[in-house]
Amino acid sequence: LLGLYQQILSRGEIPADDAPEQLELRLSGLVLKEDERLRVYNPIYAQVFDREWTDNTLENLRPYSENFRAWKESGYQDESRLLCGQALEDAQKWAEEKSLSDEDHRFLAASRESEQKAVERALKAEKAEMQEEQIRAQKRRNRMLAAFLAVAVLLGGFSFLQWREARFHQKRAEDALV
């Protein structure tokens, strides 16, 4: 209700759709439906229950109020104040079925976007690590193959030398027999 009232305060009026929250605000006497629009019923109410009052009251209700305030004070730039993980999930559950302010929606959307970017960075890093591991494994296989080929060449060379020596001794033996 406070979020909805805050929207009416900041915009001057909003379209009326007879949602339960709007009916409840109308029944409280804070707002009035006129020409299918909701507006603050009395200028005195708007002065007493002003933007500062709604901000402070909402801050006391928000489960993420400290982060939200710090993010706003940073000019919406301090991404370290955005929610992630379980805190983001809890805030989204809390926000369900609530008429939050545009800034609340902006904060939660920025938090979701930041969380998505963090997941993408983690996946990218994991993929890069997997590729590096594949490259290291391929280098190990290449070194083993090179070592195997070197041993094969040495054994082939040794076999050739043995064959030549045997051939030499065979020829000598044949010459001695003749």
Side-chain angles (χ1 to χ4, degrees):
L1 290 176
L2 279 173
L4 181 60
Y5 179 70
Q6 190 177 50
Q7 289 176 18
I8 295 168
L9 271 179
S10 64
R11 296 178 187 163
E13 62 183 21
I14 63 168
D17 62 11
D18 293 329
E21 298 85 16
Q22 289 189 2
L23 291 174
E24 197 168 335
L25 266 182
R26 286 175 48 207
L27 289 173
S28 74
L30 280 175
V31 300
L32 168 71
K33 180 179 175 183
E34 190 173 73
D35 298 327
E36 299 305 312
R37 314 280 300 159
L38 288 183
R39 64 176 180 80
V40 177
Y41 176 68
N42 185 327
I44 294 173
Y45 291 163
Q47 287 181 346
V48 173
F49 303 112
D50 63 359
R51 179 69 183 216
E52 184 179 343
W53 179 85
T54 57
D55 285 345
N56 290 337
T57 305
L58 276 172
E59 187 169 318
N60 292 333
L61 295 175
R62 283 184 194 106
Y64 51 86
S65 62
E66 185 178 320
N67 289 46
F68 179 75
R69 185 176 11 83
W71 180 71
K72 275 178 55 175
E73 288 171 359
S74 76
Y76 312 104
Q77 299 300 313
D78 186 359
E79 291 190 8
S80 71
R81 304 308 279 177
L82 296 174
L83 303 175
C84 61
Q86 190 61 46
L88 177 57
E89 288 180 35
D90 292 345
Q92 287 176 318
K93 285 179 187 172
W94 177 84
E96 286 176 5
E97 314 253 341
K98 290 185 174 59
S99 295
L100 300 177
S101 70
D102 292 338
E103 286 181 323
D104 282 280
H105 287 294
R106 185 176 171 188
F107 176 74
L108 293 174
S111 293
R112 283 190 298 274
E113 185 178 324
S114 177
E115 174 97 344
Q116 181 64 32
K117 286 179 183 177
V119 167
E120 288 171 3
R121 281 191 303 270
L123 288 173
K124 189 175 181 179
E126 185 178 321
K127 184 178 178 182
E129 180 62 33
M130 287 176 60
Q131 287 174 337
E132 287 177 20
E133 181 55 37
Q134 288 174 343
I135 289 169
R136 286 191 295 269
Q138 184 63 42
K139 286 180 179 179
R140 282 192 300 272
R141 285 190 296 271
N142 289 348
R143 283 192 300 270
M144 287 177 24
L145 181 60
F148 174 75
L149 288 174
V151 169
V153 167
L154 287 173
L155 287 175
F158 180 72
S159 296
F160 177 73
L161 291 174
Q162 291 294 323
W163 174 79
R164 231 172 87 186
E165 189 176 329
R167 186 84 173 123
F168 173 75
H169 289 296
Q170 181 185 11
K171 191 163 177 136
R172 250 177 143 190
E174 287 174 358
D175 287 345
L177 284 176
V178 180

